[in-house]
CSV table of all heavy atoms in Angstrom, one decimal:
chain,number,residue,atom,x,y,z
A,1,HIS,N,-62.5,22.8,47.9
A,1,HIS,CA,-61.4,23.7,47.8
A,1,HIS,C,-60.7,23.7,46.5
A,1,HIS,O,-59.6,24.1,46.3
A,1,HIS,CB,-60.3,23.4,48.9
A,1,HIS,CG,-60.8,23.6,50.3
A,1,HIS,ND1,-60.9,24.9,50.8
A,1,HIS,CD2,-61.2,22.8,51.3
A,1,HIS,CE1,-61.4,24.8,52.1
A,1,HIS,NE2,-61.6,23.6,52.4
A,2,SER,N,-61.4,23.1,45.5
A,2,SER,CA,-60.8,23.1,44.2
A,2,SER,C,-60.6,24.5,43.6
A,2,SER,O,-61.4,25.4,44.0
A,2,SER,CB,-61.8,22.3,43.2
A,2,SER,OG,-61.9,21.0,43.7
A,3,ILE,N,-59.6,24.7,42.8
A,3,ILE,CA,-59.3,26.0,42.3
A,3,ILE,C,-59.9,26.2,40.9
A,3,ILE,O,-59.5,25.7,39.9
A,3,ILE,CB,-57.7,26.2,42.1
A,3,ILE,CG1,-57.0,25.9,43.5
A,3,ILE,CG2,-57.4,27.6,41.6
A,3,ILE,CD1,-55.6,25.7,43.4
A,4,ARG,N,-61.0,27.0,40.9
A,4,ARG,CA,-61.7,27.2,39.7
A,4,ARG,C,-61.0,28.4,38.9
A,4,ARG,O,-60.9,28.3,37.7
A,4,ARG,CB,-63.2,27.5,39.9
A,4,ARG,CG,-63.9,27.8,38.6
A,4,ARG,CD,-65.4,27.6,38.6
A,4,ARG,NE,-65.9,27.9,37.3
A,4,ARG,CZ,-66.0,27.1,36.2
A,4,ARG,NH1,-65.5,25.9,36.3
A,4,ARG,NH2,-66.5,27.5,35.1
A,5,GLU,N,-60.7,29.4,39.6
A,5,GLU,CA,-59.9,30.5,39.0
A,5,GLU,C,-59.1,31.2,40.1
A,5,GLU,O,-59.4,31.1,41.3
A,5,GLU,CB,-60.8,31.5,38.2
A,5,GLU,CG,-61.8,32.3,39.1
A,5,GLU,CD,-62.6,33.2,38.2
A,5,GLU,OE1,-62.8,32.9,37.0
A,5,GLU,OE2,-63.0,34.3,38.8
A,6,THR,N,-58.1,32.0,39.6
A,6,THR,CA,-57.3,32.7,40.6
A,6,THR,C,-57.5,34.2,40.4
A,6,THR,O,-57.9,34.7,39.3
A,6,THR,CB,-55.8,32.4,40.3
A,6,THR,OG1,-55.4,32.8,39.0
A,6,THR,CG2,-55.5,30.9,40.5
A,7,TYR,N,-57.2,35.0,41.4
A,7,TYR,CA,-57.3,36.4,41.4
A,7,TYR,C,-56.3,37.0,42.3
A,7,TYR,O,-56.2,36.7,43.5
A,7,TYR,CB,-58.7,36.9,41.9
A,7,TYR,CG,-58.8,38.4,41.9
A,7,TYR,CD1,-58.9,39.2,40.8
A,7,TYR,CD2,-58.9,39.0,43.2
A,7,TYR,CE1,-58.9,40.6,40.9
A,7,TYR,CE2,-59.0,40.4,43.3
A,7,TYR,CZ,-59.0,41.2,42.1
A,7,TYR,OH,-59.1,42.5,42.2
A,8,ILE,N,-55.4,37.9,41.7
A,8,ILE,CA,-54.4,38.6,42.4
A,8,ILE,C,-54.5,40.1,42.2
A,8,ILE,O,-54.3,40.6,41.1
A,8,ILE,CB,-53.0,38.1,42.0
A,8,ILE,CG1,-52.9,36.6,42.2
A,8,ILE,CG2,-51.9,38.8,42.8
A,8,ILE,CD1,-51.6,36.0,41.7
A,9,PRO,N,-55.0,40.8,43.2
A,9,PRO,CA,-55.3,42.2,43.0
A,9,PRO,C,-54.1,43.1,42.6
A,9,PRO,O,-54.3,44.1,41.9
A,9,PRO,CB,-55.8,42.7,44.4
A,9,PRO,CG,-55.3,41.6,45.4
A,9,PRO,CD,-55.2,40.3,44.6
A,10,ASP,N,-52.9,42.7,42.9
A,10,ASP,CA,-51.7,43.5,42.6
A,10,ASP,C,-51.2,43.3,41.1
A,10,ASP,O,-50.3,44.0,40.7
A,10,ASP,CB,-50.5,43.2,43.5
A,10,ASP,CG,-50.8,43.6,44.9
A,10,ASP,OD1,-51.8,44.4,45.1
A,10,ASP,OD2,-50.1,43.2,45.9
A,11,LEU,N,-51.9,42.3,40.4
A,11,LEU,CA,-51.4,42.0,39.0
A,11,LEU,C,-52.6,42.3,38.1
A,11,LEU,O,-53.8,42.2,38.4
A,11,LEU,CB,-51.0,40.6,38.9
A,11,LEU,CG,-49.7,40.2,39.6
A,11,LEU,CD1,-49.4,38.7,39.5
A,11,LEU,CD2,-48.5,41.0,39.0
A,12,PRO,N,-52.3,42.6,36.8
A,12,PRO,CA,-53.3,42.7,35.8
A,12,PRO,C,-54.1,41.5,35.7
A,12,PRO,O,-53.6,40.4,36.0
A,12,PRO,CB,-52.6,43.0,34.5
A,12,PRO,CG,-51.2,43.5,35.0
A,12,PRO,CD,-50.9,42.9,36.3
A,13,GLU,N,-55.4,41.6,35.3
A,13,GLU,CA,-56.2,40.4,35.1
A,13,GLU,C,-55.5,39.4,34.2
A,13,GLU,O,-55.0,39.8,33.1
A,13,GLU,CB,-57.6,40.9,34.4
A,13,GLU,CG,-58.6,39.8,34.3
A,13,GLU,CD,-59.3,39.4,35.6
A,13,GLU,OE1,-59.1,40.1,36.6
A,13,GLU,OE2,-60.0,38.4,35.6
A,14,PRO,N,-55.5,38.1,34.5
A,14,PRO,CA,-54.8,37.2,33.7
A,14,PRO,C,-55.6,36.8,32.5
A,14,PRO,O,-56.8,37.0,32.4
A,14,PRO,CB,-54.7,36.0,34.7
A,14,PRO,CG,-55.9,36.0,35.5
A,14,PRO,CD,-56.1,37.5,35.7
A,15,TYR,N,-54.9,36.2,31.5
A,15,TYR,CA,-55.6,35.5,30.4
A,15,TYR,C,-56.1,34.2,30.9
A,15,TYR,O,-55.3,33.4,31.5
A,15,TYR,CB,-54.6,35.3,29.2
A,15,TYR,CG,-55.2,34.3,28.2
A,15,TYR,CD1,-56.1,34.7,27.3
A,15,TYR,CD2,-54.7,33.0,28.2
A,15,TYR,CE1,-56.7,33.7,26.5
A,15,TYR,CE2,-55.2,32.1,27.3
A,15,TYR,CZ,-56.2,32.4,26.5
A,15,TYR,OH,-56.7,31.5,25.6
A,16,ARG,N,-57.3,33.9,30.8
A,16,ARG,CA,-57.9,32.7,31.3
A,16,ARG,C,-58.2,31.8,30.1
A,16,ARG,O,-59.1,32.0,29.3
A,16,ARG,CB,-59.2,33.0,32.1
A,16,ARG,CG,-58.9,33.9,33.3
A,16,ARG,CD,-60.1,34.0,34.2
A,16,ARG,NE,-60.0,35.0,35.2
A,16,ARG,CZ,-59.3,35.0,36.3
A,16,ARG,NH1,-58.7,33.9,36.7
A,16,ARG,NH2,-59.3,36.0,37.2
A,17,GLY,N,-57.4,30.7,30.0
A,17,GLY,CA,-57.7,29.7,29.0
A,17,GLY,C,-58.7,28.7,29.6
A,17,GLY,O,-59.4,28.9,30.6
A,18,LYS,N,-58.8,27.5,28.9
A,18,LYS,CA,-59.8,26.5,29.3
A,18,LYS,C,-59.4,26.0,30.7
A,18,LYS,O,-60.2,25.7,31.5
A,18,LYS,CB,-59.8,25.4,28.3
A,18,LYS,CG,-60.4,25.8,27.0
A,18,LYS,CD,-60.6,24.6,26.1
A,18,LYS,CE,-61.1,24.9,24.7
A,18,LYS,NZ,-60.1,25.5,23.8
A,19,VAL,N,-58.1,25.9,30.9
A,19,VAL,CA,-57.6,25.3,32.2
A,19,VAL,C,-56.7,26.2,33.0
A,19,VAL,O,-56.7,26.2,34.2
A,19,VAL,CB,-56.9,23.9,31.9
A,19,VAL,CG1,-56.2,23.4,33.1
A,19,VAL,CG2,-57.8,22.9,31.3
A,20,ARG,N,-55.9,27.0,32.3
A,20,ARG,CA,-54.8,27.8,32.9
A,20,ARG,C,-55.2,29.3,33.0
A,20,ARG,O,-55.8,29.8,32.0
A,20,ARG,CB,-53.5,27.6,32.1
A,20,ARG,CG,-53.0,26.1,32.2
A,20,ARG,CD,-51.9,25.9,31.2
A,20,ARG,NE,-51.4,24.5,31.3
A,20,ARG,CZ,-52.0,23.5,30.8
A,20,ARG,NH1,-53.1,23.7,30.0
A,20,ARG,NH2,-51.6,22.2,30.9
A,21,ASP,N,-54.7,29.9,34.1
A,21,ASP,CA,-54.7,31.4,34.2
A,21,ASP,C,-53.2,31.8,34.0
A,21,ASP,O,-52.3,31.3,34.6
A,21,ASP,CB,-55.1,31.8,35.6
A,21,ASP,CG,-56.6,31.6,35.8
A,21,ASP,OD1,-57.3,31.2,34.9
A,21,ASP,OD2,-57.1,31.7,37.0
A,22,VAL,N,-53.0,32.8,33.1
A,22,VAL,CA,-51.7,33.2,32.7
A,22,VAL,C,-51.5,34.6,33.1
A,22,VAL,O,-52.2,35.5,32.6
A,22,VAL,CB,-51.4,33.0,31.2
A,22,VAL,CG1,-50.0,33.4,30.8
A,22,VAL,CG2,-51.7,31.5,30.8
A,23,TYR,N,-50.5,34.9,33.9
A,23,TYR,CA,-50.1,36.2,34.4
A,23,TYR,C,-48.8,36.7,33.7
A,23,TYR,O,-47.8,35.9,33.7
A,23,TYR,CB,-49.9,36.2,35.9
A,23,TYR,CG,-51.2,36.0,36.7
A,23,TYR,CD1,-51.6,34.7,37.0
A,23,TYR,CD2,-52.0,37.1,37.1
A,23,TYR,CE1,-52.8,34.5,37.8
A,23,TYR,CE2,-53.1,36.9,37.8
A,23,TYR,CZ,-53.5,35.6,38.2
A,23,TYR,OH,-54.7,35.4,38.9
A,24,ASN,N,-48.8,37.9,33.2
A,24,ASN,CA,-47.6,38.5,32.8
A,24,ASN,C,-46.8,39.0,33.9
A,24,ASN,O,-47.3,39.8,34.8
A,24,ASN,CB,-47.9,39.7,31.9
A,24,ASN,CG,-48.3,39.3,30.5
A,24,ASN,OD1,-47.6,38.5,29.8
A,24,ASN,ND2,-49.4,39.8,29.9
A,25,LEU,N,-45.5,38.6,34.0
A,25,LEU,CA,-44.6,39.0,35.1
A,25,LEU,C,-43.6,40.0,34.6
A,25,LEU,O,-43.2,40.9,35.4
A,25,LEU,CB,-43.9,37.8,35.6
A,25,LEU,CG,-44.8,36.7,36.2
A,25,LEU,CD1,-43.9,35.5,36.7
A,25,LEU,CD2,-45.7,37.2,37.4
A,26,SER,N,-43.3,40.0,33.3
A,26,SER,CA,-42.3,40.9,32.7
A,26,SER,C,-42.4,40.8,31.2
A,26,SER,O,-43.3,40.1,30.7
A,26,SER,CB,-40.9,40.6,33.2
A,26,SER,OG,-40.4,39.4,32.6
A,27,ASP,N,-41.6,41.5,30.5
A,27,ASP,CA,-41.6,41.5,29.1
A,27,ASP,C,-41.3,40.1,28.5
A,27,ASP,O,-41.7,39.8,27.4
A,27,ASP,CB,-40.6,42.5,28.5
A,27,ASP,CG,-41.1,43.9,28.7
A,27,ASP,OD1,-42.3,44.1,29.0
A,27,ASP,OD2,-40.2,44.8,28.6
A,28,ASN,N,-40.6,39.3,29.3
A,28,ASN,CA,-40.2,38.0,28.7
A,28,ASN,C,-40.5,36.8,29.7
A,28,ASN,O,-40.0,35.7,29.5
A,28,ASN,CB,-38.7,38.0,28.4
A,28,ASN,CG,-37.8,38.3,29.6
A,28,ASN,OD1,-38.3,38.4,30.8
A,28,ASN,ND2,-36.5,38.4,29.4
A,29,LYS,N,-41.4,37.0,30.6
A,29,LYS,CA,-41.7,36.0,31.6
A,29,LYS,C,-43.1,36.0,32.0
A,29,LYS,O,-43.7,37.0,32.2
A,29,LYS,CB,-40.8,36.2,32.9
A,29,LYS,CG,-40.8,35.0,33.9
A,29,LYS,CD,-40.0,35.4,35.1
A,29,LYS,CE,-38.5,35.7,34.8
A,29,LYS,NZ,-37.8,36.1,36.0
A,30,ILE,N,-43.7,34.8,32.1
A,30,ILE,CA,-45.1,34.6,32.5
A,30,ILE,C,-45.2,33.6,33.6
A,30,ILE,O,-44.3,32.8,33.8
A,30,ILE,CB,-46.0,34.2,31.3
A,30,ILE,CG1,-45.5,32.9,30.7
A,30,ILE,CG2,-46.1,35.4,30.3
A,30,ILE,CD1,-46.4,32.4,29.6
A,31,ALA,N,-46.3,33.6,34.3
A,31,ALA,CA,-46.7,32.6,35.3
A,31,ALA,C,-47.9,31.9,34.8
A,31,ALA,O,-48.9,32.5,34.5
A,31,ALA,CB,-46.9,33.2,36.7
A,32,ILE,N,-47.8,30.6,34.6
A,32,ILE,CA,-48.9,29.8,34.1
A,32,ILE,C,-49.4,29.0,35.3
A,32,ILE,O,-48.7,28.2,35.9
A,32,ILE,CB,-48.4,28.8,33.0
A,32,ILE,CG1,-47.8,29.6,31.9
A,32,ILE,CG2,-49.6,28.0,32.5
A,32,ILE,CD1,-47.1,28.7,30.8
A,33,ILE,N,-50.7,29.3,35.6
A,33,ILE,CA,-51.3,28.6,36.8
A,33,ILE,C,-52.3,27.5,36.3
A,33,ILE,O,-53.3,27.8,35.6
A,33,ILE,CB,-52.1,29.7,37.7
A,33,ILE,CG1,-51.3,30.9,37.8
A,33,ILE,CG2,-52.5,29.0,39.0
A,33,ILE,CD1,-49.9,30.8,38.4
A,34,ALA,N,-52.0,26.3,36.7
A,34,ALA,CA,-52.9,25.2,36.3
A,34,ALA,C,-54.0,25.1,37.3
A,34,ALA,O,-53.8,24.7,38.5
A,34,ALA,CB,-52.1,23.9,36.3
A,35,THR,N,-55.2,25.6,37.0
A,35,THR,CA,-56.3,25.5,37.8
A,35,THR,C,-56.9,24.1,37.8
A,35,THR,O,-56.4,23.2,37.1
A,35,THR,CB,-57.4,26.5,37.4
A,35,THR,OG1,-58.1,26.0,36.2
A,35,THR,CG2,-56.8,27.9,37.2
A,36,ASP,N,-58.0,23.9,38.5
A,36,ASP,CA,-58.7,22.6,38.5
A,36,ASP,C,-59.9,22.6,37.6
A,36,ASP,O,-60.7,21.6,37.6
A,36,ASP,CB,-59.2,22.3,39.9
A,36,ASP,CG,-58.0,22.1,40.9
A,36,ASP,OD1,-56.9,21.6,40.5
A,36,ASP,OD2,-58.2,22.4,42.1
A,37,ARG,N,-60.0,23.6,36.7
A,37,ARG,CA,-61.0,23.5,35.6
A,37,ARG,C,-60.8,22.3,34.7
A,37,ARG,O,-59.7,21.9,34.5
A,37,ARG,CB,-61.0,24.8,34.8
A,37,ARG,CG,-61.3,26.1,35.6
A,37,ARG,CD,-61.6,27.3,34.7
A,37,ARG,NE,-60.4,27.7,33.9
A,37,ARG,CZ,-59.6,28.7,34.3
A,37,ARG,NH1,-59.7,29.2,35.5
A,37,ARG,NH2,-58.6,29.0,33.5
A,38,ILE,N,-61.9,21.9,34.2
A,38,ILE,CA,-61.8,20.8,33.2
A,38,ILE,C,-62.7,21.1,32.0
A,38,ILE,O,-63.8,21.7,32.2
A,38,ILE,CB,-62.2,19.4,33.8
A,38,ILE,CG1,-61.8,18.3,32.8
A,38,ILE,CG2,-63.6,19.3,34.2
A,38,ILE,CD1,-61.8,16.9,33.4
A,39,SER,N,-62.3,20.8,30.8
A,39,SER,CA,-63.1,21.2,29.6
A,39,SER,C,-63.3,19.9,28.8
A,39,SER,O,-62.6,18.9,28.9
A,39,SER,CB,-62.3,22.2,28.8
A,39,SER,OG,-61.2,21.7,28.2
A,40,ALA,N,-64.3,20.0,28.0
A,40,ALA,CA,-64.6,18.9,27.0
A,40,ALA,C,-65.4,19.5,25.9
A,40,ALA,O,-66.3,20.4,26.1
A,40,ALA,CB,-65.4,17.8,27.7
A,41,PHE,N,-65.2,19.1,24.7
A,41,PHE,CA,-65.8,19.6,23.5
A,41,PHE,C,-65.7,21.2,23.5
A,41,PHE,O,-66.7,21.9,23.2
A,41,PHE,CB,-67.3,19.2,23.4
A,41,PHE,CG,-67.5,17.7,23.3
A,41,PHE,CD1,-68.1,17.0,24.3
A,41,PHE,CD2,-67.1,17.0,22.2
A,41,PHE,CE1,-68.3,15.6,24.2
A,41,PHE,CE2,-67.3,15.7,22.1
A,41,PHE,CZ,-67.9,15.0,23.1
A,42,ASP,N,-64.5,21.6,23.9
A,42,ASP,CA,-64.2,23.1,23.9
A,42,ASP,C,-65.1,23.9,24.8
A,42,ASP,O,-65.3,25.1,24.6
A,42,ASP,CB,-64.3,23.7,22.5
A,42,ASP,CG,-63.2,23.1,21.6
A,42,ASP,OD1,-62.0,23.0,22.1
A,42,ASP,OD2,-63.5,22.7,20.5
A,43,HIS,N,-65.7,23.3,25.8
A,43,HIS,CA,-66.5,23.9,26.8
A,43,HIS,C,-65.9,23.7,28.2
A,43,HIS,O,-65.5,22.5,28.5
A,43,HIS,CB,-68.0,23.4,26.9
A,43,HIS,CG,-68.8,24.0,25.8
A,43,HIS,ND1,-68.6,23.7,24.4
A,43,HIS,CD2,-69.9,24.9,25.8
A,43,HIS,CE1,-69.5,24.4,23.7
A,43,HIS,NE2,-70.3,25.1,24.5
A,44,ILE,N,-65.8,24.7,29.0
A,44,ILE,CA,-65.4,24.6,30.4
A,44,ILE,C,-66.5,24.1,31.2
A,44,ILE,O,-67.6,24.7,31.3
A,44,ILE,CB,-64.8,25.9,31.0
A,44,ILE,CG1,-63.6,26.4,30.1
A,44,ILE,CG2,-64.4,25.7,32.4
A,44,ILE,CD1,-63.2,27.8,30.5
A,45,LEU,N,-66.4,22.9,31.9
A,45,LEU,CA,-67.5,22.4,32.7
A,45,LEU,C,-67.5,23.2,34.0
A,45,LEU,O,-66.5,23.7,34.5
A,45,LEU,CB,-67.2,20.9,33.0
A,45,LEU,CG,-67.0,20.1,31.7
A,45,LEU,CD1,-66.9,18.6,32.0
A,45,LEU,CD2,-68.2,20.3,30.7
A,46,LYS,N,-68.7,23.3,34.6
A,46,LYS,CA,-68.9,24.2,35.7
A,46,LYS,C,-68.1,23.7,37.0
A,46,LYS,O,-67.6,24.5,37.7
A,46,LYS,CB,-70.4,24.3,36.0
A,46,LYS,CG,-70.7,25.4,37.1
A,46,LYS,CD,-72.2,25.5,37.3
A,46,LYS,CE,-72.5,26.6,38.4
A,46,LYS,NZ,-73.9,26.8,38.6
């Protein structure tokens, strides 16, 4: 049940960083979702 990525159909596709999915909520507010992804040497491990 680990969270590799998130998907919310009512919102635009998030920016996906190495670990976090970032959703725009308004002009001055974002939601930062800490997933269970892990990276090393700038690569996201599967």
Side-chain angles (χ1 to χ4, degrees):
H1 293 287
S2 299
I3 303 167
R4 179 156 179 86
E5 65 179 27
T6 61
Y7 175 70
I8 302 177
D10 292 346
L11 289 177
E13 185 76 9
Y15 164 77
R16 300 190 193 278
K18 295 186 182 76
V19 172
R20 295 167 179 82
D21 291 352
V22 181
Y23 290 89
N24 279 313
L25 300 179
S26 67
D27 289 342
N28 59 6
K29 192 184 300 179
I30 58 174
I32 303 171
I33 316 304
T35 72
D36 296 328
R37 298 193 294 268
I38 190 166
S39 68
F41 297 115
D42 294 317
H43 281 68
I44 300 171
L45 307 183
K46 186 176 181 180

